[in-house]
C-alpha cells in the first residue's frame, strides 16, 4: 500500500522541515563563527566570551533543530512520492542527516558545551577547540550540500522497475 499524506498536510510538514533545517544551519553557523573567533582572537575576554556563547548556542539549539529537521524529513519521506530509499538524493540526505544528528549530538556538541563551561569558570580552553571548529565546518558543509541536493534532485531512482 502506497500511503501519501494530503497536500495541505504535506505543505505544513514541508514548512516545518524547511524552517527547522534552516534553524539547524543557523545553529551550525553561529557556533562555527563563535568557535573561529575564540581560536583566532588574542584578547582573552573575547576568547572566553566566544567559547561561552558557542557552548550555550550548541547546547541549546543543536539538538532540537537537528531532531525536528530529521523527524520532519522522515515523515515527508514516508508520506510523499519520494519515500526514504526510492531516490538516491533522498537516501543521501537521510544518511548525511543521521550522521550529523548522531555525531553532532554525541561528539561535537558536548565538547562545545564543556569548553563553554570551562571558559565560564575562567579556565583556559585547550587546543581541542580546534577539532570542534573543524567538525562544525564539516557539518555546515554537509547541511548546505543536503540543501543543494534537495533543490536539484540530481540522481535517479535507487530501484528501477524492469
Amino acid at each position: 500500500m502506497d500511503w501519501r499524506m494530503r497536500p495541505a498536510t504535506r505543505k505544513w510538514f514541508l514548512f516545518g522541515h524547511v524552517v527547522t533545517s534552516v534553524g539547524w544551519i543557523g545553529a551550525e553557523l553561529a557556533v562555527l563563527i563563535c568557535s573561529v573567533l575564540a581560536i583566532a582572537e588574542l584578547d582573552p575576554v573575547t576568547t572566553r566570551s566566544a567559547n561561552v556563547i558557542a557552548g550555550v548556542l550548541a547546547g541549546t539549539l543543536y539538538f532540537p533543530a537537528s531532531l525536528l529537521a530529521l523527524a520532519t524529513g522522515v515523515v515527508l519521506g514516508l508520506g510523499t512520492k519520494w519515500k526514504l530509499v526510492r531516490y538516491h538524493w533522498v537516501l543521501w540526505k537521510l544518511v548525511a542527516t543521521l550522521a550529523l544528528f548522531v555525531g553532532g549530538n554525541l561528539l561535537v556538541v558536548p565538547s562545545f558545551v564543556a569548553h563553554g563551561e570551562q571558559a565560564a569558570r575562567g579556565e583556559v580552553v585547550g587546543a581541542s577547540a580546534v577539532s570542534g571548529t573543524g567538525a562544525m565546518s564539516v557539518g555546515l558543509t554537509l547541511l548546505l550540500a543536503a540543501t543543494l541536493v534537495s533543490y536539484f534532485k540530481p540522481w535517479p531512482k535507487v530501484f528501477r522497475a524492469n
Side-chain angles (χ1 to χ4, degrees), residues 104-149:
N105 284 297
L106 294 180
L107 302 173
V108 180
V109 169
S111 72
F112 276 103
V113 171
H115 292 150
E117 291 169 351
Q118 282 179 303
R121 290 190 302 267
E123 299 171 11
V124 175
V125 176
S128 62
V130 174
S131 65
T133 304
M136 276 293 160
S137 300
V138 170
L140 180 61
T141 302
L142 280 174
L143 287 174
L144 292 174
T147 304
L148 191 69
V149 165

Side-chain angles (χ1 to χ4, degrees), residues 11-150:
K11 286 180 183 178
W12 280 109
F13 270 97
L14 183 59
F15 173 77
H17 184 64
V18 169
V19 167
T20 56
S21 297
V22 169
W24 191 5
I25 290 170
E28 290 261 358
L29 184 59
V31 172
L32 178 61
I33 289 169
C34 289
S35 180
V36 168
L37 184 59
I39 292 170
E41 185 59 45
L42 298 177
D43 176 39
V45 173
T46 304
T47 299
R48 185 173 28 254
S49 300
N51 275 312
V52 170
I53 293 169
V56 170
L57 289 175
T60 305
L61 300 176
Y62 196 92
F63 178 74
S66 62
L67 178 64
L68 289 170
L70 176 61
T72 55
V74 168
V75 170
L76 283 167
L78 293 172
T80 63
K81 68 179 181 178
W82 304 111
K83 302 300 176 207
L84 287 178
V85 295
R86 185 177 289 170
Y87 290 85
H88 284 93
W89 70 270
V90 178
L91 181 60
W92 184 89
K93 274 189 65 176
L94 178 62
V95 169
T97 302
L98 282 170
L100 283 172
F101 177 78
V102 172
N105 284 297
L106 294 180
L107 302 173
V108 180
V109 169
S111 72
F112 276 103
V113 171
H115 292 150
E117 291 169 351
Q118 282 179 303
R121 290 190 302 267
E123 299 171 11
V124 175
V125 176
S128 62
V130 174
S131 65
T133 304
M136 276 293 160
S137 300
V138 170
L140 180 61
T141 302
L142 280 174
L143 287 174
L144 292 174
T147 304
L148 191 69
V149 165
S150 296

